[in-house]
Amino acid sequence: MKRGDLLRHIRQYGCYLKREGGSHSLWTNPRTGHTEAVPRHTEISDHLARKICKMLSVPDPRR
């Protein structure tokens, strides 16, 4: 999955960029308070994308 598609998906559910790290961006869901690292690769595996969404309490991006 393209990184931009994943970010668009999690933004749609209210998540926002908390800060930029060295090789990851930290995204937060304000409703739950959970924070998750999103790598800065152009392609993110579907497995990792599902894990990120699950940790942020966001629906699966492929459904």
Side-chain angles (χ1 to χ4, degrees):
M1 151 174 265
K2 297 280 186 190
R3 183 176 189 265
D5 294 339
L6 175 61
L7 297 182
R8 194 173 308 113
H9 176 74
I10 62 177
R11 247 189 237 114
Q12 177 182 350
Y13 289 94
C15 297
Y16 66 91
L17 178 65
K18 185 173 184 178
R19 69 178 177 87
E20 294 284 344
S23 59
H24 291 77
S25 305
L26 293 180
W27 285 79
T28 299
N29 185 336
R31 291 177 298 152
T32 62
H34 289 114
T35 300
E36 187 66 22
V38 178
R40 281 201 222 120
H41 303 290
T42 53
E43 283 287 329
I44 296 175
S45 71
D46 290 341
H47 177 74
L48 181 57
R50 284 193 301 272
K51 179 204 173 277
I52 290 168
C53 289
K54 182 178 179 181
M55 296 303 290
L56 289 173
S57 302
V58 171
D60 191 328
R62 296 291 181 180
R63 294 182 189 240

